[in-house]
């Protein structure tokens, strides 16, 4: 029997590297995608050594508009089939109103939204033909709440939640399952930039989850066929509260105002 293969974007760090470990542990062959090829090659070698799976590395900058078409052509050129698609690459971005560099804004939108749509567009039809596929889009708790001051990151994650719900409903019964995984604060390289590192130092430790917990929960929810999964019991309790008036009052007390 041929082994299944997972393509993971943003596999060079954090949640993406953890997806690679856990899926390799489940015996899946892998295609690792990110910009830092040297880091991906090192990870690939360690996964081959530890799990005896096949690993392809394809460096790509997903903020470029040609990236997903090139990536799809590269995967096809290698004769590889993708059974699991993990759209995980992402970063904190420029503020839509404050940062006046529109080309940078467009690259951010490409990375956070258009590239995910592109990956789904390219890779899902073959999954439908084979009557098996798993697609996991890494969104965020931030995609569930509208906050004053968050005009880029949260809205991009809200799109991923809506996209995943629409795809999941459309593909019901096809053998292809789609999930938006919504983590809260997770220990990765995401908060390494100084501004975010400062916020991390100030926030209580109970708000922070480890990447292995988030990924394990995500893969289990994907298999169950849930369209959206908020990761972590604490965040499952918090999100409905943050959407209410008292919740927004509470957030305002911490210096973050919610829009109406
Ligand atoms: N950590 C959290 O608290 C948290 C919470 C909710 C959601 N998330 C989401 O989780 C996902 C993974 O983030 P993380 O926390 O694991 O952060 P991370 O450790 O910083 O990893 C981000 C990954 O995305 C890749 N990436 C960034 N820009 C890219 C580009 N232009 N093209 C291709 N790959 C790119 C990076 O690789 P290269 O630099 O090598 O390209 C890296 O592998 C993101 O979508 C993030 O929004 C994170």
């Amino acid at each position: 029997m041929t082994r299944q293969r997972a393509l993971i974007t943003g596999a060079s760090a954090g949640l993406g590297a953890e997806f690679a470990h856990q899926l390799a542990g489940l015996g899946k062959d892998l295609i690792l995608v990110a910009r830092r090829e040297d880091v991906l090659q090192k990870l690939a070698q360690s996964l081959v050594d530890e799990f005896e799976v096949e690993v392809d590395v394809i460096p790509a900058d997903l903020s470029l508009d040609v990236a997903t078409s090139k990536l799809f052509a590269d995967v096809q050129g290698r004769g590889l089939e993708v059974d699991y698609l993990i759209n995980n690459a992402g970063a904190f971005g420029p503020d839509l109103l404050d940062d006046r560099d529109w080309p940078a804004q467009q690259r951010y939108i490409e990375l956070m939204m258009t590239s995910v749509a592109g990956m789904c567009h390219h890779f899902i039809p073959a999954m439908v033909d084979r009557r098996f596929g798993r697609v996991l889009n890494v969104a965020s708790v931030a995609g569930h709440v509208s906050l004053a001051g968050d005009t880029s990151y949260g809205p991009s994650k809200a799109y991923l939640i809506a996209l995943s719900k629409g795809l999941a409903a459309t593909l019901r019964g096809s053998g292809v399952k789609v999930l938006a995984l919504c983590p809260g604060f997770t220990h990765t390289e995401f908060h390494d930039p100084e501004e975010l590192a400062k916020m991390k130092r100030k926030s209580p430790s109970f708000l922070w989850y480890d990447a292995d917990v988030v990924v394990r929960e995500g893969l289990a929810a994907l298999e169950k066929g849930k369209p959206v999964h908020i990761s972590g019991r604490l965040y499952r309790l918090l999100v409905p509260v943050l959407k209410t008036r008292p919740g927004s009052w509470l957030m305002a007390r911490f210096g973050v105002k919610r829009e109406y």
Side-chain angles (χ1 to χ4, degrees):
M1 205 180 99
T2 54
R3 272 206 305 248
Q4 291 180 320
R5 182 175 282 101
L7 186 157
I8 303 161
T9 69
S12 60
L15 288 166
E18 183 59 34
F19 273 113
H21 272 101
Q22 292 196 21
L23 286 164
L26 294 169
K28 314 293 178 201
D29 292 330
L30 301 174
I31 303 170
L32 307 180
V33 177
R35 290 168 302 181
R36 286 171 290 171
E37 186 175 6
D38 53 335
V39 182
L40 291 180
Q41 292 291 3
K42 225 167 132 184
L43 173 63
Q45 193 53 56
S46 75
L47 295 171
V48 169
D49 293 345
E50 188 174 352
F51 300 106
E52 297 181 354
V53 292
E54 278 177 21
V55 185
D56 281 69
V57 165
I58 307 184
D61 182 344
L62 295 169
S63 70
L64 304 177
D65 62 1
V66 291
T68 61
S69 303
K70 268 181 72 181
L71 182 53
F72 181 60
D74 197 337
V75 170
Q76 283 200 309
R78 296 177 192 217
L80 304 177
E81 282 178 351
V82 172
D83 307 289
Y84 283 71
L85 174 61
I86 312 291
N87 289 311
N88 162 77
F92 200 70
D95 183 274
L96 187 67
L97 301 180
D98 283 351
D99 191 313
R100 305 313 296 161
D101 180 356
W102 179 241
Q105 302 273 353
Q106 285 180 304
R107 286 194 299 278
Y108 187 65
I109 289 167
E110 189 71 41
L111 169 66
M112 301 300 281
M113 291 186 273
T114 318
S115 75
V116 179
M119 295 297 280
C120 292
H121 168 81
H122 288 306
F123 286 99
I124 290 178
M127 294 177 176
V128 174
D129 288 347
R130 294 197 302 275
R131 298 204 63 75
F132 181 89
R134 300 287 182 265
V135 180
L136 188 153
N137 297 321
V138 180
S140 172
V141 159
H144 287 279
V145 286
S146 302
L147 299 175
D150 179 12
T151 51
S152 296
Y153 182 76
S156 75
K157 295 303 192 182
Y159 167 72
L160 293 195
I161 294 167
L163 173 70
S164 306
K165 282 169 142 177
L167 285 170
T170 304
L171 294 168
R172 193 162 295 135
S174 71
V176 181
K177 295 177 180 176
V178 183
L179 170 78
L181 174 65
C182 303
F185 290 139
T186 311
H187 295 292
T188 66
E189 292 178 15
F190 188 92
H191 297 87
D192 283 2
E194 188 42 35
E195 195 189 338
L196 296 176
K198 216 155 102 191
M199 182 277 290
K200 184 173 181 176
R201 284 194 293 274
K202 279 191 193 162
S203 65
S205 59
F206 65 82
L207 287 176
W208 290 81
Y209 281 72
D210 287 327
D212 62 328
V213 176
V214 173
V215 167
R216 197 165 303 113
E217 265 195 29
L219 291 175
L222 176 63
E223 216 41 57
K224 277 189 193 149
K226 290 181 69 172
V228 180
H229 180 72
I230 296 171
S231 184
R233 190 177 301 159
L234 173 67
Y235 286 103
R236 284 193 288 280
L237 289 170
L238 266 182
V239 165
V241 175
L242 295 178
K243 287 179 169 178
T244 64
R245 273 178 181 274
S248 68
W249 175 83
L250 198 68
M251 290 199 79
R253 282 182 63 92
F254 283 103
V256 202
K257 265 198 342 239
R258 177 169 173 261
E259 287 173 327
Y260 289 92

